[in-house]
Amino acid sequence: MERELAVEVEAAIKASGASTFEEAQEKAKQEFEELCHVTLNIAVTGGTGAGKSSFVNAIRGVKEGDEERAAPTDVVECTKTPTMYPHPTMPNVNIWDLPGIGTEKFQTKKYIKDVNLDNYDFFLILTCTRLTEHDIMLAKEIRKNKKNFYFVRTKIDQDVKSEKRKGKAEEQTLSVIRQDLKEKLNDFPSAQIFLVSSWKLDKFDFHEMMCVLEKDLPEKKQDALTLSLPVYSIEILKKKYKAFKRGIWAQASASGAVGAAPLPGVSAAFDVTTISAFLTKVYYSFGLDDTSMKQLSDRVGKPIPADFKHSKLVKAIASKSVTALQVELTGFIVAEAIESALRFIPIAGSVAGAGMSFWSTYLALRKGLDELFTVSKKMLEMAKLK
């Protein structure tokens, strides 16, 4: 594995355009700072009853009924003003629940003025039936402001279930709905249309939609979107893993020794605090906390065995005790990483300037990331999510 990591680091240096390890580190620090401060504002809008609040809760990975974090849902319009819901574990990602358009209280022209289209990175225009003239007018205004927008047909699971009772196959139902929406969008020949269910993110067009949204975003905002998504498939888990893997290089470069006080038996060059913070973020993004696991269990309709909780690293993070986590890191990751770093430095000798501090932190972050990925993948396999 040491040789593989040496190749990774050399590739990272080459990709950065730097000629030395020190220059690449400095650039990585700057990029890491930018990543930490980048913001992503997603607007969810549409007609009354389109399922906006349920959708907002779903993409934030928040269970409806969570009084502290969930967007309120009801059969009538609940949202009176643009309401921001910060992501529970990615505070720089904000989901905006906008008021329903076209109601007596929210006429289109006034609506457009009140919500201030410039505030958002892109718009998701939701409907649960047919697109209305208000939806079309809103899309035209968004286009005038040169913002991206996407049409989202919600509650597809209900339509499929209803039509199945009439003898219609799922694909036939989806085809009819998709064609009906396209016919209403003559003014938008290249419009993106997605059919989704807020209750079954692993089905229909949700994954395809997120891939398109990510591709259309500026590069520095793509990871923010990926890391904020709930874990609904092994494929999205792998995308999160790759995003965090890219962040390891920047994190190890940004941390260095930073003068962190070592734990007993831990090299002063080893930044345990940085590693604890990073792996805790991974833990929540990978859906390993109790709340996320309960939601996964509810979604698939069966209990998820707790075998994966035998992981010492998962137990340490779940304890929410910084001291306990740091002690566990000492036994689980740190000692092995330092030993690996001692073997690693001669192998990576061509990477000038790479000292114990960088390698030990880098290796510990990678080992912890791999452990959490393995645990989360096992959990998804237990849930029979591909």
Side-chain angles (χ1 to χ4, degrees), residues 338-357:
I338 291 175
E339 182 181 347
S340 297
L342 290 171
R343 298 196 307 270
F344 190 33
I345 291 174
I347 294 173
S350 60
V351 184
M356 174 65 79
S357 173

Side-chain angles (χ1 to χ4, degrees), residues 271-282 317 322 325-327 329 365:
D271 189 352
V272 178
T273 302
T274 292
I275 297 164
S276 299
F278 182 89
L279 294 182
T280 297
K281 191 172 186 178
V282 174
I317 298 175
V322 175
L325 177 55
Q326 290 181 341
V327 169
L329 282 170
L365 289 169

Side-chain angles (χ1 to χ4, degrees), residues 86-236:
H87 192 275
T89 60
M90 293 287 293
N92 55 333
V93 176
N94 303 312
I95 318 296
W96 290 82
D97 187 0
L98 304 187
I101 191 170
T103 65
E104 185 177 345
K105 292 183 179 180
F106 302 108
Q107 297 303 316
T108 305
K109 290 183 179 180
K110 183 177 185 302
Y111 177 96
I112 291 167
K113 179 182 178 181
D114 290 346
V115 301
N116 192 354
L117 303 182
D118 290 332
N119 286 343
Y120 314 103
D121 288 286
F122 61 84
F123 294 78
L124 300 174
I125 303 175
L126 273 57
T127 178
C128 64
T129 53
R130 290 180 170 83
L131 289 168
T132 68
E133 61 178 303
H134 299 288
D135 297 322
I136 303 300
M137 288 176 64
L138 176 59
K140 289 179 178 178
E141 290 298 324
I142 296 172
R143 183 168 61 183
K144 286 180 185 178
N145 281 262
K146 299 181 179 179
K147 296 278 188 173
N148 287 337
F149 59 91
Y150 310 86
F151 294 100
V152 182
R153 176 66 153 76
T154 61
K155 305 181 183 181
I156 287 297
D157 54 322
Q158 296 179 20
D159 293 306
V160 168
K161 187 176 181 180
S162 175
E163 293 301 305
K164 187 176 181 180
R165 297 194 193 101
K166 303 174 186 178
K168 292 184 180 180
E170 179 177 306
E171 285 305 316
Q172 182 183 4
T173 300
L174 298 179
S175 178
V176 169
I177 292 173
R178 206 181 300 275
Q179 185 58 38
D180 178 67
L181 289 171
K182 286 182 178 179
E183 290 175 358
K184 299 294 189 300
L185 295 172
N186 292 328
D187 293 332
F188 306 95
S190 60
Q192 299 272 13
I193 301 170
F194 302 103
L195 314 183
V196 306
S197 165
S198 296
W199 302 104
K200 297 182 179 181
L201 300 184
D202 54 308
K203 294 197 65 179
F204 312 114
D205 293 344
F206 186 82
H207 180 71
E208 179 188 351
M209 178 177 70
M210 288 303 161
C211 289
V212 171
L213 297 182
E214 181 185 7
K215 177 177 64 67
D216 289 350
L217 281 170
E219 184 177 356
K220 290 180 180 177
K221 296 197 177 192
Q222 291 177 1
D223 281 351
L225 177 65
T226 297
L227 297 180
S228 70
L229 295 176
V231 180
Y232 56 87
S233 69
I234 291 177
E235 188 172 354
I236 189 60

Side-chain angles (χ1 to χ4, degrees), residues 9-21:
V9 174
E10 288 188 328
I13 294 173
K14 184 177 180 180
S16 73
S19 57
T20 67
F21 180 82

Side-chain angles (χ1 to χ4, degrees), residues 244-258:
F244 276 118
K245 186 178 173 183
R246 290 193 297 271
I248 285 176
W249 159 254
Q251 182 74 83
S253 297
S255 66
V258 299

